[in-house]
Amino acid sequence: MPFGFLSRVPGMRNVALYTSVPVFEPLPKVPDHPAIEEEILDWWEGQEIFAKLRRRNEGGPTFSFFDGPVTTNKPMLVHTAWGRTLKDVFQRYKALRGFDERYQNGFDCQGLWIEVGVEHDLGLNSKRDIEEYGLEEFARKCRDKVVWSANELWKGSKRLGQWMDWGNDYFTFSDTNIEYVWRMLRAVHERDYLYMGHRSTEWCPRCGTSISQHELIGSYVDRADPSLYVRFPLLDRPGEFVVIWTTTPWTLPANVAAAVNPREEYGRRANGEWVAVKRYPDETLVDRRPGSELVGWRYRGPFDEIVSVDHVVIPWEDVSMDDGTGIVHIAPGCGTEDFELGQKLGLPVLMPVDESGRFYDSFGWLHGLSTVESAEQIIGDLEEKGILVEAGLHEHRYPECWRCHTPLIFRLADDWFISVRDLRQQMLDANATVEWVPEYMGKRMDDWLHNMGDWNISRRRYYGLPLPFYPCACGHLNVIGSRRELEARAVSGLEQLEELRRPWIDRVPIRCDECGEAVQRVTEVGDVWLDAGIVPFSTLGWQNDEWVPEGNATGAARGLTTADLPDHAYWEKWFPADWVSEMREQIRLWFYSQLFMSVVLTGKAPFRKVLGYEKMLDETGREMHGSWGNTIAFEEAVDRMGADVMRWQYCAQPPDRNLLFGFGPAQEIKRKLLTLWNSVSFFVEYANIAQFTPSWSSLEPDAQAPLDRWLVERTHAFVVDAAGRYEAYRVDEVMTLFEAYLDDLSNWYIRRSRRRFWDEDQAAFATLWYALVQTLRVLAPVMPFIADHLWRNLVPDGPESVHLAQWPEVGEPDRALLDEIEEVRRVVTLAHQARASANLKLRQPLRRLVVEGANGASRHSAEIADEVRAKSVEFGTVEAQLHVKPNLPALGPRLGKELPAIRQALQSGDFEELAGGRFRVGGHELEPGEVLVERSGREGFAVASEAGLTVALDTVLDDELLLEGRAFDLIRTVNQLRKDEGFELVDRIVLTVPEGERDVVETHRDRIAGEVLATEIRVGGALGIAKS
RNA sequence: GGGCGAUUAGCUCAGUUGGUUAGAGCGCCGCUCUGAUAAGGCGGAGGUCCGUGGUUCGAAUCCACGAUCGCCCA
């Protein structure tokens, strides 16, 4: 006998004793998630589980996923962990299904984010500071920052349980990646999309660079700026002025014109000031004239003593009558529309401020002042000159720099652009082939594509992709497409070219294609989204002839990765991505730049499906801000809740709503997780007692008992439905399914089956084991740690890890059976309600239950009787008082205004029942479909009903029932006592009951003894138990 | 400033083509069940369905206007 001595007491609950080693490891009361996770991480590594998984799936169907590169300027955050969890979940799911995957992680390593972080670390605060610090050293510090951040992200991601090919990551600052962008830019140039634009753009004076359209996302903030009304004296009309309004005083020195709407009416105030009539309807204005008559009037500019240009009133049909004076100050050097208007009319262009937003020396006493500093002095000066009409503050929305929050200015600059004229429609067509989850995000992409302007790709910065543009004095623009080409055409400087990067690359002039002269590179670097957008090409070896080992470990990425540069066949295999996933703001960023490049290079979309998701907030719905003290560090989250709980929280979140993340919600999840834990724990405890031995080879039980059959079908339904939701990239719906399934498993199957486990019913064990094992397989992608931890305990002879076990194959569930049990549970709920309304606790047995309107449940009457503790269950008509209500959707259209009266009549019982379920009321005959008939309130019965289902519980208690009720009370009391006194589950007792309980014991002795494991029951004396 | 969306219990949210007593989860209170469970079950308190007006026999739902919030665009 392998399990040693077994004791059985005849007629008792068959709880056996075991004395030898249990099959399953007993579970502690609660799981220690961090401890389990650390242990599993070690075990995965030691057993090379991930490597085994990849080997197994090698050569299988491919599932191509592109990882959007995370910016390497921060440690791991709980925000980052959300996205990483989603990426991991679906890659794991696809791996269970046998898909071959690449698992390449990516880092975004250049651009303003990195520079600004390093500037901050070094205490630098301007471009001049950086140049004084030295570009070479600055570049090294930027790389250090990237290395630090990459290490943090590796560490955190592994701790989160993310399975990626760590060590084969791509870094966007590799020379390889840079070369691929060059190649793309050259293709753009060959198609004539590339041009240098001289125009007024949003400009960050602190960063000293222009800001492109997609960088303006979310950058408008509410601000209070100066609001100035200024009058310009008219040269040919003494004593008269035009009055303008502005919120940017620093642009006044650049004024060259005042625009009026030629179609609107203007008038003169008594003091000589001209304004639009519509703007001042209550004022007395004389000499009214259409705007067209003001056109051509010359005026004296506000700063003529500094800059002398001719000022004139010009026509502009877009002048709005919604704010200001109806006359608009025009400074073509300081505004986009002003510039365009100026170009059309041939107005002079004045550029008042330099790259850092300070006035040029040529602006007299203003020189050196910043746009902000100058405001007050300009206001003072205008007042002194007597041309300031009014000064105040104006609240409006104004754009800030997305990185440093400096208010942007408009500044004329030479920037490099890619024209989107031809590409727009191609991109829209490509996007139409993409399936977006949630759907509205695809529409957002369309909106953006419809509205986007030409792409400003140049930044006047340092640590970024060097634009390979070499404009020659001869007028020819040389665009270098590869390192090889650079080397072939270099005049000098190759020996010092450490990386394709500033400052080294700036020391390599090339020979002009056209005239043969040496040409310098422009100093600009590229928009960081070029780096990220090229990834589907640079990492997959697009148009690369020969596979290059470690070919992506070039330039700054050398030593950080071992990623190869594959050949073109590999690109063909893995492009486009089957799926990508990032947060919503990436629509206009990474999703856009990827789409852009892909359309340029291939004419196709680079991905088939996209999962986008909204923002993360704290658990009260506020943004997480360091200064508000409501941020949660990744390490703290992992230590306090555990990675599985975090992952559940992320996965349960519908992607179209903000995630309210925190320890409160984590607590709720832990409670739910505990139900799963306890279900396994229950199984383990009793399976050990019953020496149940599971067998992986006969996984699915041949269920005979109705309840077992139900659980098997219920499990099939869960597996099938969960697969559907995974396939739709809605893991939140997988979690919803799981919660419902877990409730069924725990609060119906286990609760209903407890006695069978006590009785060592092997079929029950086999069924529960099957359900638990399948559950772990479904949950493995979401909670890889706890799933594997429990798997290793429950499945001794199957695959060593749940992640190697593949997605469960199950048959089509028997939905009809599931519906029946659904109905049973509704009947039980109603019966419990009826009990409560009659004040009858469940321990009191009742004579009978009558059920009406639940025919499917009739096959399970024993089940219902037991749950409700009724001696019998009848299915039939509940004879009760008749209530007739109007069926409003049916009767409303027919009766119209008469309806309230009929309704009233029915309610007060003022009707006559006719044959065939028809009723006569208030002169109308109502058909059966036009009324809702309910019965209730039968004498001696407690009735409850809901949606066509009615139950009636016989509440009459006879002596027999009362006595039995007392027996249940006694059992309950004694069992509580056993628990309180710390008795083992299998301890046998001698029970002593008071004299008053003699009648109960005499009638129900065997039942009581069996339920409380009493070998003997003594009557007389105080209630007590002792070990026998 | 323009466009889109939202506003329902203390919190997070459901609420079908307009229909009968507006729901769920969490939290709170009471009762109850329980030898896996910190769980479960039943009940209670808690609602100006943002406001005003309209259409309709009937409006959380449809229409108009307004308020507030969010997102996108400028």
Side-chain angles (χ1 to χ4, degrees), chain A residues 26-46:
Chain A
L27 271 56
K29 274 303 231 194
V30 291
D32 178 349
H33 291 287
I36 290 170
E37 289 162 9
E38 298 283 0
E39 188 206 323
I40 291 287
L41 279 172
D42 282 349
W43 181 75
W44 282 346
E45 202 178 318

Side-chain angles (χ1 to χ4, degrees), chain A residues 27 31-46 49-50 76 81 84-85 88-89 92 96 154-164 166 634 637-639 641-648 650-651 673 676-677 680 726 775-794 800-804:
Chain A
L27 271 56
D32 178 349
H33 291 287
I36 290 170
E37 289 162 9
E38 298 283 0
E39 188 206 323
I40 291 287
L41 279 172
D42 282 349
W43 181 75
W44 282 346
E45 202 178 318
I49 302 297
F50 181 44
M76 183 85 170
R84 298 202 152 228
T85 295
D88 192 51
V89 164
R92 281 177 181 272
L96 289 179
W154 274 323
K155 197 176 66 185
S157 306
K158 288 175 190 172
R159 180 61 188 83
L160 182 67
Q162 190 184 12
W163 271 354
M164 288 296 249
W166 308 116
F634 175 76
V638 155
D639 290 347
M641 37 179 120
D644 279 331
V645 174
M646 291 170 73
R647 292 173 67 114
W648 180 328
Y650 297 138
C651 288
L673 198 45
L676 174 66
W677 183 263
V680 176
Y726 272 126
T775 302
L776 294 181
R777 297 167 84 182
V778 172
L779 287 182
V782 173
M783 293 185 284
F785 296 106
I786 198 103
D788 231 4
H789 177 77
L790 295 174
W791 179 270
R792 291 172 62 203
N793 194 4
L794 289 185
E800 60 184 319
S801 162
V802 67
H803 306 293
L804 296 173

Side-chain angles (χ1 to χ4, degrees), chain A residues 703-711 756 817 821 859-860 863:
Chain A
Q704 297 298 323
L707 205 54
D708 291 349
R709 270 191 52 230
W710 170 78
L711 183 60
R756 295 173 58 210
L817 175 62
I821 302 298
R859 296 168 52 191
H860 307 272
E863 201 89 36

Side-chain angles (χ1 to χ4, degrees), chain A residues 472-486:
Chain A
C472 181
C474 77
H476 180 65
L477 173 62
N478 298 275
V479 177
I480 294 290
S482 70
R483 185 190 187 103
R484 190 177 302 167
E485 190 184 346
L486 177 76

Side-chain angles (χ1 to χ4, degrees), chain A residues 523-574:
Chain A
T523 55
E524 281 90 340
V525 297
D527 180 358
V528 61
W529 296 107
L530 292 169
D531 305 342
I534 202 68
V535 157
F537 300 92
S538 61
T539 60
L540 300 178
W542 179 70
Q543 290 194 351
N544 181 45
D545 297 336
E546 215 167 289
W547 192 294
V548 185
E550 304 204 7
N552 257 301
T554 51
R558 199 170 287 129
L560 295 177
T561 175
T562 53
D564 294 346
L565 174 61
D567 57 20
H568 190 75
Y570 185 86
W571 181 84
E572 290 282 358
K573 180 176 177 184
W574 294 100

Side-chain angles (χ1 to χ4, degrees), chain A residues 186-474:
Chain A
R186 170 108 115 208
V188 162
H189 179 48
E190 279 162 4
R191 286 189 228 172
D192 220 16
Y193 295 157
L194 184 70
Y195 69 93
M196 192 175 75
H198 177 74
R199 57 171 73 169
S200 173
T201 57
E202 281 90 352
W203 185 278
C204 174
R206 198 214 66 90
C207 296
T209 186
S210 53
I211 296 289
S212 81
Q213 213 183 343
H214 58 224
E215 286 172 301
L216 286 171
I217 297 160
S219 62
Y220 278 77
V221 294
D222 286 314
R223 279 174 53 85
D225 276 314
S227 161
L228 265 58
Y229 290 85
V230 184
R231 58 189 200 179
F232 299 150
L234 293 166
L235 290 180
D236 304 316
R237 305 175 71 91
E240 296 185 13
F241 312 84
V242 285
V243 184
I244 61 92
W245 174 69
T246 183
T247 56
T248 48
W250 66 273
T251 62
L252 285 170
N255 174 275
V256 300
V260 294
N261 191 325
R263 289 194 290 231
E264 296 289 342
E265 195 185 16
Y266 292 80
R268 182 161 46 84
R269 289 171 171 152
N271 65 3
E273 292 172 356
W274 285 89
V275 292
V277 173
K278 262 194 198 155
R279 293 296 303 150
Y280 300 94
D282 304 332
E283 284 191 34
T284 316
L285 298 172
V286 295
D287 196 6
R288 298 182 176 209
R289 302 164 179 233
S292 55
E293 287 188 24
L294 276 61
V295 171
W297 290 359
R298 296 182 305 131
Y299 64 89
R300 193 165 76 238
F303 291 91
D304 272 1
E305 73 282 8
I306 293 174
V307 269
S308 176
V309 291
D310 289 337
H311 301 273
V312 67
V313 176
I314 59 166
W316 187 24
E317 292 185 354
D318 290 349
V319 169
S320 145
M321 293 294 128
D322 295 336
D323 51 24
T325 62
I327 305 178
V328 175
H329 147 62
I330 301 292
C334 308
T336 307
E337 291 173 319
D338 301 39
F339 181 76
E340 283 162 14
L341 195 60
Q343 292 296 97
K344 217 159 60 188
L345 299 176
L347 299 176
V349 177
L350 296 177
M351 259 204 356
V353 295
D354 65 13
E355 285 198 346
S356 58
R358 292 178 183 277
F359 278 92
Y360 285 116
D361 289 355
S362 56
F363 279 75
W365 59 269
L366 287 162
H367 81 89
L369 291 176
S370 75
T371 52
V372 177
E373 290 162 354
S374 64
E376 207 163 309
Q377 307 205 31
I378 286 174
I379 294 170
D381 184 67
L382 296 173
E383 187 149 37
E384 232 166 76
K385 288 174 177 160
I387 57 174
L388 182 69
V389 178
E390 194 188 321
L393 283 178
H394 177 67
E395 296 261 358
H396 62 160
R397 306 262 297 161
Y398 195 84
E400 286 183 348
C401 176
W402 55 277
R403 185 54 208 113
C404 64
H405 299 294
T406 305
L408 299 179
I409 60 175
F410 283 88
R411 188 173 179 278
L412 262 193
D414 293 335
D415 281 307
W416 293 90
F417 290 87
I418 301 176
S419 162
V420 298
R421 197 191 54 223
D422 294 351
L423 290 170
R424 191 190 309 275
Q425 191 55 47
Q426 293 177 49
M427 290 178 72
L428 282 163
D429 293 345
N431 189 45
T433 68
V434 177
E435 194 179 311
W436 288 78
V437 179
E439 223 173 306
Y440 68 84
M441 291 197 189
K443 297 200 175 78
R444 287 276 163 78
M445 175 61 101
D446 278 342
D447 289 347
W448 165 250
L449 294 175
H450 280 297
N451 293 320
M452 67 177 178
D454 290 350
W455 185 358
N456 175 348
I457 57 166
S458 56
R459 302 288 179 276
R460 290 156 195 272
R461 297 292 304 188
Y462 310 100
Y463 200 72
L465 164 98
L467 291 176
F469 305 153
Y470 295 75
C472 181
C474 77

Side-chain angles (χ1 to χ4, degrees), chain A residues 25 74 81 145 379 426 453 463 466 528 861 907 994:
Chain A
E25 180 81 21
K74 288 185 289 279
K145 183 101 189 167
I379 294 170
Q426 293 177 49
Y463 200 72
V528 61
S861 60
Q907 196 183 349

